[in-house]
Amino acid sequence: MLRQLTSNAGLRRLIGAVISIDQREIYKPSPAVYRLAVERLRTPKAAMGFVSSNCWDACGAKSFGFRTFWINRSGAPVDELGAAPDHVIKGLDELPELLRRS
């Protein structure tokens, strides 16, 4: 599902790997989920980009040290319980331009 989603959004060429935690049975916002990406990709967490349509999820990834993109389709306020996401976007179509600028 994730591979098809990234391809349909025109992001597949920009994303090196898509990782799912389904088989591990650990769930966000556990730091172990985010650490899995660091270990599997052998990349420092500061070099990671994390995209979610859930503010709590983006805030959890931000707290872990990832660069975060929250897809906020409804215009809801940022969750004040965690670290605010780095970027708030309305849809995946905004993501390629942000990634190109980085």
Side-chain angles (χ1 to χ4, degrees):
M1 175 189 84
L2 295 174
R3 284 187 186 93
Q4 184 176 3
L5 176 67
T6 56
S7 291
N8 291 345
L11 297 169
R12 193 67 191 122
R13 294 178 304 124
L14 299 171
I15 298 175
V18 176
I19 299 172
S20 174
I21 50 93
D22 284 344
Q23 295 177 344
R24 281 290 193 81
E25 295 186 6
I26 51 175
Y27 304 99
K28 299 176 272 181
S30 168
V33 172
Y34 309 113
R35 195 172 308 111
L36 175 65
V38 170
E39 292 168 357
R40 186 160 307 162
L41 298 174
R42 297 179 187 157
T43 303
K45 59 185 169 183
M48 299 282 193
F50 185 90
V51 181
S52 180
S53 61
N54 298 303
C55 188
W56 62 266
D57 197 4
C59 290
K62 176 68 177 177
S63 292
F64 184 75
F66 288 166
R67 179 178 177 204
T68 55
F69 304 85
W70 173 35
I71 302 171
N72 182 1
R73 292 182 182 102
S74 68
V78 174
D79 182 354
E80 295 179 16
L81 298 177
D86 295 305
H87 303 277
V88 179
I89 58 178
K90 292 182 181 178
L92 280 176
D93 58 329
E94 295 178 39
L95 192 56
E97 181 60 31
L98 284 171
L99 293 175
R100 279 188 211 100
R101 284 192 245 156
S102 300

